[in-house]
């Protein structure tokens, strides 16, 4: 299969490009599209065959549900069977934006989208191109991140092509994604709202609207061997480059001392901007130490860069656990298989 590359400006979507992408999607084809978080691999959520094709192109486990993208909040009642007050408040506050709300699904959405669950994650993306493409398609779009299952999520069209060239019909290139990590996934099921995956909307932002919100323990600790996953995605290896990554908690000095005594051939530091000079080994940077937004934009590209440079062992600087930093830390923990050494 030849993958068509369609280019557009990100703020002023080219109407011809968006129409072409929308037409392909309505015909059941797969098109990778930019969103404000990461590139998504979109297919018509109402078309069971297209949904199957998404799983196949990604090599995604059959029990890991897809999220459904709508162009405007008023599409929600067509596909969600029940919309509690809390969901309305969240949609009012954060849509369009990087928040996915898990709600009971209507029967009109095929069971393959939700991998057999009675709930579906809904998201209304803030990216002008994503909105224009969904509008042009005229149908809700199932869209997981547009990477091969297990590899880092794509924040550029080039990342998408590295993983999926020849496996999908088209990719719409609108440049790099503004947020860089995926949406926050919130479940309102069973009492206190739960963050299943931290992302572009922070726990404090959610608390301001909902009063209370809990972060699922698996976000920072991983899933215990016998525990049931609140979100199927928690079960799977993700974001992992080929290298063995270890996160080192502590100051830059402590980090520098540790890597100097442990570095071998093929060892890299995954560090913050401006720290390379201090470290004396090959480095890949993923943002500034004091700016979690820049870390979010840089992390997935940095993980891919480590593969490109054939890193074998990676020691990573630790992000903060607050704000968007929580999402950055969660992705890095998962890339590291939850391997952390505390140097304090
Ligand atoms: O920012 C994003 O959310 C991107 C862009 C493309 O919109 N999409 C994305 O999709 O990250 P995906 O499929 O890579 O991640 C969705 C996550 C998975 O971990 C999945 O297990 C979880 O959401 N999820 C989906 N439906 C769920 C449900 N009904 N209950 C619990 N978790 C669910
Ligand atoms: Mg994903």
């Amino acid at each position: 299969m030849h993958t068509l590359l369609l280019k557009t400006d990100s703020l002023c979507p080219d109407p011809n490009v968006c129409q072409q992408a929308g037409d392909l999607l309505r015909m059941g084809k797969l098109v990778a599209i930019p969103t404000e978080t990461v590139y998504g691999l979109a297919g018509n959520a109402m078309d069971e065959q297209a949904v199957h094709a998404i799983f196949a192109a990604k090599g995604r486990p059959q029990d890991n549900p897809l999220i459904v993208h709508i162009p405007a909040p008023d599409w929600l009642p067509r596909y969600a069977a029940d919309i509690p007050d809390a969901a309305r408040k969240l949609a009012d506050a954060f849509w369009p934006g990087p928040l996915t709300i898990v709600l009971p699904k209507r029967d009109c959405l095929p069971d393959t989208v939700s991998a057999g669950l009675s709930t579906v994650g809904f998201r209304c993306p803030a990216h002008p191109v994503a909105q224009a493409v969904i509008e042009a398609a005229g149908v809700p779009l199932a869209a997981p991140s547009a990477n091969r299952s297990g590899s880092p999520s794509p924040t550029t069209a080039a990342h998408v092509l590295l993983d999926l060239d020849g496996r999908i019909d088209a990719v719409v290139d609108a440049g790099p994604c503004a947020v860089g990590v995926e949406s926050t996934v919130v479940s309102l099921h069973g009492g206190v709202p739960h963050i299943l995956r931290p992302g572009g909307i922070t726990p404090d932002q959610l608390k301001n609207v909902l009063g209370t919100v809990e972060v699922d323990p698996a976000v920072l600790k991983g899933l215990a061997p016998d525990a049931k996953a609140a979100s199927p995605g928690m079960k799977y290896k993700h974001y992992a480059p080929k290298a063995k990554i270890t996160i080192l908690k502590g100051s830059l000095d402590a980090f520098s001392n540790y890597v100097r005594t442990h570095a071998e051939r093929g060892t890299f530091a995954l560090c913050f901007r401006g720290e390379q000079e201090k470290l004396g080994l090959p480095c890949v940077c993923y943002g500034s130490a004091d700016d979690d937004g820049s870390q979010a934009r840089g992390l997935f590209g940095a993980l891919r860069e480590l593969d490109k440079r054939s890193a074998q062992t990676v020691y990573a600087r630790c992000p903060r656990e607050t704000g968007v930093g929580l999402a950055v830390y969660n992705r890095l923990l998962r890339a590291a298989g939850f391997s952390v050494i505390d140097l304090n």
Side-chain angles (χ1 to χ4, degrees), residues 35 37-40 58 60 64-67 69 100 102 117 119-121 123 143-145 182-183 185 196-197 230-234:
T35 81
T37 57
V38 300
Y39 276 73
K58 275 184 66 89
R60 184 174 177 103
N64 195 4
L66 308 181
I67 59 185
H69 296 65
T100 296
V102 175
L117 297 179
T119 55
V120 160
R123 176 158 126 74
S145 49
E182 304 89 336
S183 63
V185 179
L196 300 178
R197 178 178 72 181
S231 174
M234 290 168 174

Side-chain angles (χ1 to χ4, degrees), residues 28-342:
K29 308 283 186 191
L30 302 189
V31 182
I33 60 168
T35 81
E36 77 278 29
T37 57
V38 300
Y39 276 73
L41 177 54
N44 179 356
M46 309 298 281
D47 176 344
E48 196 147 3
Q49 296 242 347
V51 174
H52 276 300
I54 293 176
F55 280 92
K58 275 184 66 89
R60 184 174 177 103
Q62 294 291 334
D63 68 344
N64 195 4
L66 308 181
I67 59 185
V68 170
H69 296 65
I70 52 177
D74 62 9
W75 280 41
L76 189 58
R78 300 185 207 168
Y79 307 105
D82 177 42
I83 306 172
D85 257 3
R88 281 185 203 285
K89 283 188 191 156
L90 289 176
D92 283 347
F94 302 115
W95 278 3
L99 179 71
T100 296
I101 310 174
V102 175
L103 295 171
K105 81 175 200 50
R106 280 194 191 278
D107 291 339
C108 62
L109 284 173
D111 287 337
T112 32
V113 172
S114 61
L117 297 179
S118 60
T119 55
V120 160
F122 291 98
R123 176 158 126 74
C124 177
H127 199 294
V129 174
Q131 289 172 353
V133 171
I134 311 173
E135 288 283 5
V139 290
L141 298 181
S145 49
N147 50 289
R148 286 282 286 174
S149 197
S151 80
S153 296
T155 53
T156 65
H159 295 164
V160 175
L161 289 172
L162 274 173
D163 279 17
L164 298 175
D165 195 10
R167 306 181 70 92
I168 61 176
D169 297 285
V171 53
V172 180
D173 182 355
C177 301
V179 177
V181 290
E182 304 89 336
S183 63
T184 303
V185 179
V186 176
S187 164
L188 302 169
H189 193 69
V192 182
H194 245 69
I195 297 179
L196 300 178
R197 178 178 72 181
I201 299 292
T202 67
D204 282 343
Q205 284 178 292
L206 294 173
K207 258 180 221 155
N208 283 340
V209 171
L210 295 173
T212 51
V213 63
E214 276 173 12
V215 178
D216 194 282
V219 164
L220 290 178
K221 296 211 169 68
L223 208 56
D226 52 348
K228 186 176 180 311
S231 174
M234 290 168 174
K235 288 192 299 203
Y236 297 105
K237 191 168 173 257
H238 206 345
Y239 315 115
K242 293 175 189 80
K244 162 96 185 78
I245 301 184
T246 304
I247 301 169
L248 302 180
K249 261 190 182 167
S251 67
L252 177 58
D253 279 341
F255 184 92
S256 170
N257 288 336
Y258 188 94
V259 295
R260 272 168 203 281
T261 49
H262 289 76
E264 293 169 6
R265 227 182 124 88
T267 301
F268 277 67
L270 178 58
C271 64
F272 298 126
R273 215 162 280 142
E275 295 179 346
Q276 302 93 306
E277 296 74 34
K278 263 204 123 164
L279 296 175
L281 77 163
C283 291
V284 172
C285 296
Y286 77 103
S288 302
D290 56 359
D291 177 2
D292 52 17
S294 73
Q295 294 163 19
R297 284 189 295 280
L299 180 65
F300 289 146
L303 292 175
R304 285 177 183 270
E305 178 70 16
L306 288 165
D307 265 352
K308 206 169 129 195
R309 293 174 64 182
S310 307
Q312 304 292 309
T313 305
V314 174
Y315 294 111
R317 292 274 279 137
C318 190
R320 291 197 198 110
E321 290 174 32
T322 51
V324 177
L326 181 66
V328 177
Y329 188 41
N330 168 260
R331 305 310 188 270
L332 193 52
L333 277 169
R334 296 189 59 181
F338 291 87
S339 164
V340 181
I341 297 176
D342 193 344

